[in-house]
Amino acid sequence: MTATVQTTMPVIQKESTGCGIAACAALAGLTYEATRGRAAALGIHASDRSLWSNTAYVRRLLADLGIGTSKEESPFTGWQDLPDRALLAIKWRRIDGVPFWHWVVFVRKPGESVVLDSKAALKHNTRRDFGRMKPQWFIEVLTQ
């Protein structure tokens, strides 16, 4: 059974490395704390550096929350080409040869598209400044 994807409000990460947990929380319509607890029960912790460079962790957490994803990452080709719900990898870079990125959630609603960004330092976590974000690739979030 697939849960209904919520994605109405951004969820602010409580740890500097908690963007994946916050993105999953936003998609599930849960708090950061509740989602962090679910993640911990699965052995997923924001302090684990592999959470920033491996998609398996957010996929496993989303599956536990009843939310499906595409099996593969897709290259970003343009905002208009994205599905209605997607996890985006932005701020993509390599550190000591290992890829790292920041997770955000893309949402297309009737008449508007937004990005929900969990970064606490942002003035506005619902973003429309598409030209400033440089997604590398995305994972489609399957909706009911």
Side-chain angles (χ1 to χ4, degrees):
M1 183 169 134
T2 302
T4 301
V5 176
Q6 300 297 318
T7 59
T8 57
M9 298 286 294
V11 173
I12 308 307
Q13 62 195 72
K14 304 293 184 190
E15 299 148 292
S16 62
T17 55
C19 59
I21 292 170
C24 292
L27 287 165
L30 298 173
T31 65
Y32 184 86
E33 292 78 9
T35 307
R36 179 173 52 193
R38 295 280 292 267
L42 295 171
I44 300 169
H45 304 279
S47 60
D48 182 350
R49 289 177 59 100
S50 57
L51 182 63
W52 319 334
S53 61
N54 185 327
T55 66
Y57 298 97
V58 293
R59 289 177 190 278
R60 195 164 88 228
L61 180 53
L62 286 171
D64 185 71
L65 295 169
I67 298 171
T69 61
S70 59
K71 294 194 184 300
E72 301 291 326
E73 296 84 41
S74 299
F76 178 83
T77 57
W79 295 102
Q80 70 284 354
D81 299 328
L82 289 172
D84 289 345
R85 303 283 184 275
L87 281 169
L88 295 176
I90 66 170
K91 298 184 181 178
W92 195 95
R93 66 225 181 263
R94 286 190 184 273
I95 300 173
D96 296 327
V98 178
F100 289 91
W101 55 83
H102 175 63
W103 289 111
V104 295
V105 177
F106 174 80
V107 181
R108 181 177 291 113
K109 304 180 210 178
E112 180 181 40
S113 294
V114 297
V115 169
L116 306 177
D117 192 331
S118 63
K119 185 175 179 181
L122 292 175
K123 187 174 181 179
H124 301 286
N125 297 92
T126 300
R127 297 181 61 178
R128 295 169 182 84
D129 57 335
F130 299 107
R132 293 186 55 148
M133 292 177 274
K134 306 291 184 216
Q136 184 79 13
W137 45 263
F138 68 92
I139 297 172
E140 181 176 5
V141 175
L142 306 176
T143 58
Q144 189 172 342

